[in-house]
Amino acid sequence: MSVPVPGGSMPACWFVVLPDREPGPGLLGRLRQRAAHVVTHASGRPWLVGTWPSPGEVLVARVGEVRLAVAGTCSLTAGDLAVRVRRVREPADVEGALEGAHGSFHVLASVGGRTYARGSLSQERRVYWVEVEGGTVCADRARTLAWLTGAELDAARLATRLAGFTVPYPLAGEALWRGIRGVTPGQALLLEPGGQCRTTSWWQAPPAELPLTEAASGLRRALREAVALRVRPGEVLGADLSGGMDSTSLCFLAAEAGARLVTATVHQSTPGAEDHVYARHAAEHLPIAERLEFPYSELPAHFTGLGERRDPGDEPSGLLRDRAQQRQLAGALRACGAELRLTGHGGDAVVQAPDAYVHRLLHRSVLTGTRHLAGLRARGRWPLGATVRMVLDQRSYGAWLAGTAGRLRDRPALGAACVQEPWGLRPLLPPWASDAAADLFGELLRAAARDAVPLFADRARHAWLHQAQEAGRIATHLADESAAAGLPAHSPYCDDAVISACLAALPHEAADPWSFKPLLKAAMEGLVPARVLGRTTKDHTGVAWQDGLRQHRRELLAWAEDSHLVAAGVADEELLRRALTSPGLLRGGAGELEATLGAEAWLRDLAAHPVPTYLAAPPARTPAYEGTTP
């Protein structure tokens, strides 16, 4: 049975970008029925069609034959954009005109009949495209294009989602509908008047050469700007104060920027949990307007609300476990006057290089590399044989991708340490994935391997940027979940400028195995209390996770008896039933089951909301054409 979600959700922003050609009557008619805004090319033809409830969510500047827009959280004002649009003579000028702008936003332009569109490097803002009525159109949401074209789900891409956070680039960011493609982060889509399209690079990676002190200075500056962008001095700002270094750093930066902080801290039920102790210590040094503390026993258990059906996003969410908890936290922050919430999400992925950095370090300095390798082995308890294989592995990215295709079911021995492979985590399907799912996923991996180009030639920087982009994708889910609770959530660690600042560091200094998050620690020195920066532990929620599964065993059993994943052919009915009815016996832990539960919930949400809620009702006002040539 479908249970409605409580009210309080926020209107969604969405848009479709059209090339400067006469659109088919069916396409334009369907869009105009749902859109509140239509901005035109200089020709008078529709360019940007959509709905943005707040005028500040999409800023548009016009001069002559040029239209320039930013959508999202951007440091530029309408006045800034009106000045900068005058620098644009062709699409290649767009990024130069926006130099120095920071935040998390889309960039859109119409220049003399040619159309330019790109999202953010982090994947928090995406661009998808599809061929329709003889031309290419793009949008910020894959679901919009699926609705527009009637596209069906792609079983092969759905199968990849069962692998959770181990899905490699470029498969991790692909849309889940046939015919719909995502623009690679760091690239922009160019639409020609004739309907053709191509991509072009817009982002240039910084050299990875700054020593820790200099890189930390750059990170502090980028984080300070990212937080200040979201702070209105003197106004109430909600913020997570978990006690961890990531969220605590943002709280101090927000206080520095003049926010009146209302903070939320959860007391975990895990024996020996320390987050709340560090949060209390940090609060003693913060000018907090109000501090909210939530004992875990007073919050909904993990997985509460499995029977609630809500409007889904573009892909399964990994945040299913604590939806109800986050809704309660958002409501409490809202009741205290907060209109926005800062989260520390993304810090774990962005500020610390992955273990693969040791491979290049060994080639640059045998002595330093050997020392770091010993430290990583000791910290991760890596077996000697697996460590040697990782170091000696010289395969290209394409060869590595192809090699993973036949190992999707090769599970590590029970209790074995996980040694990162040369290019990142090896994709791994759960035991209940069907044979068809393994075959389909394997075919996608082999196809990607044929012309695979890594994000960086250096494997450590490739893995680092990939994990940062995965954090950006999850930030989108977090923002959607929070918007459904009526409180916008922002994740400053996923801003492009913050990611670039981290990537400028020497990887081995940003991932010292004898220090916890050394880059962020150095960046926040003198601002965040030394006790917080010196912390080397991290709380876990395993006890609460198991308790939530036990409490909701009946709902999980009902899902097992009527699984949409089984109906889609990507899960084995009997094996999935065993997993859902006896989660305590799982070998792989929380990650693989949560990916499956997220995919199952997403399919159920799609069935309950075949038309996106943001498109289901006509706009509040009749769409008006804006931006015609004077």
Side-chain angles (χ1 to χ4, degrees), residues 310-376:
R310 62 181 64 205
D311 194 38
D314 287 332
E315 61 183 354
S317 169
L319 306 174
L320 186 65
R321 71 159 83 175
D322 60 353
R323 270 182 176 175
Q325 290 183 4
Q326 293 304 318
R327 185 189 307 157
Q328 183 167 324
L329 296 182
L333 290 170
R334 253 196 357 260
C336 293
E339 296 183 1
L340 185 146
R341 177 183 181 184
L342 284 187
T343 83
H345 168 73
D348 285 337
V350 170
V351 303
Q352 190 154 330
D355 296 341
Y357 79 86
V358 74
H359 188 273
R360 186 176 184 186
L361 184 61
L362 281 164
H363 288 270
R364 296 179 62 183
S365 171
V366 174
L367 183 61
T368 305
T370 301
R371 178 172 171 268
H372 274 249
L373 184 61
L376 292 172

Side-chain angles (χ1 to χ4, degrees), residues 78-104:
D80 295 332
L81 203 63
V83 171
R84 291 173 181 243
V85 69
R86 299 181 180 278
R87 306 177 192 173
V88 179
R89 297 289 182 272
E90 56 183 331
D93 299 331
V94 169
E95 296 301 332
L98 297 176
E99 185 177 2
H102 59 271
S104 177

Side-chain angles (χ1 to χ4, degrees), residues 469-489:
Q469 291 177 342
E470 289 298 280
R473 284 176 52 221
I474 297 173
T476 302
H477 304 162
L478 185 62
D480 288 344
E481 296 283 356
S482 193
L487 185 67

Side-chain angles (χ1 to χ4, degrees), residues 18 58 120 150 271 367 402 629:
L18 302 172
V58 179
S120 62
L367 183 61
T629 305

Side-chain angles (χ1 to χ4, degrees), residues 225-315:
E225 291 176 343
V227 172
L229 176 59
R230 291 151 168 104
V231 171
R232 296 174 185 169
E235 294 193 7
V236 177
L237 176 74
D240 294 344
L241 182 57
S242 69
M245 198 186 301
D246 303 332
S247 67
T248 304
S249 296
L250 297 186
C251 287
F252 278 88
L253 289 169
E256 179 188 67
R260 291 181 57 217
L261 284 174
V262 177
T263 62
T265 303
V266 176
H267 291 220
Q268 298 294 345
S269 59
T270 306
E274 299 178 310
D275 276 353
H276 65 282
V277 176
Y278 285 91
R280 187 173 294 123
H281 176 73
E284 293 170 357
H285 295 77
L286 277 168
I288 295 177
E290 189 163 358
R291 182 162 184 253
L292 307 178
E293 296 192 38
F294 301 87
Y296 186 81
S297 59
E298 297 180 8
L299 291 171
H302 279 340
F303 303 106
T304 295
L306 289 179
E308 296 176 355
R309 300 277 62 86
R310 62 181 64 205
D311 194 38
D314 287 332
E315 61 183 354

Side-chain angles (χ1 to χ4, degrees), residues 523-617:
M524 293 295 107
E525 191 172 353
L527 179 65
V528 175
R531 183 181 176 187
V532 175
L533 295 180
R535 184 180 180 187
T536 59
T537 59
K538 186 176 179 66
D539 282 0
H540 298 281
T541 59
V543 172
W545 185 80
Q546 291 285 357
D547 181 60
L549 290 175
R550 280 193 298 270
Q551 289 194 37
H552 300 289
R553 192 166 179 267
R554 180 171 297 179
E555 289 137 303
L556 292 174
L557 180 59
W559 277 19
E561 296 300 327
D562 181 28
S563 169
H564 289 227
L565 288 169
V566 171
V570 298
D572 180 278
E573 183 174 10
E574 181 56 32
L575 294 177
L576 180 61
R577 180 184 295 108
R578 290 183 195 173
L580 294 182
T581 55
S582 303
L585 300 179
L586 294 177
R587 286 178 51 194
E592 62 180 15
L593 183 61
E594 288 204 32
T596 297
L597 292 177
E600 180 70 34
W602 185 73
L603 291 176
R604 290 170 179 266
D605 288 341
L606 280 178
H609 297 277
V611 176
T613 299
Y614 59 88
L615 296 173

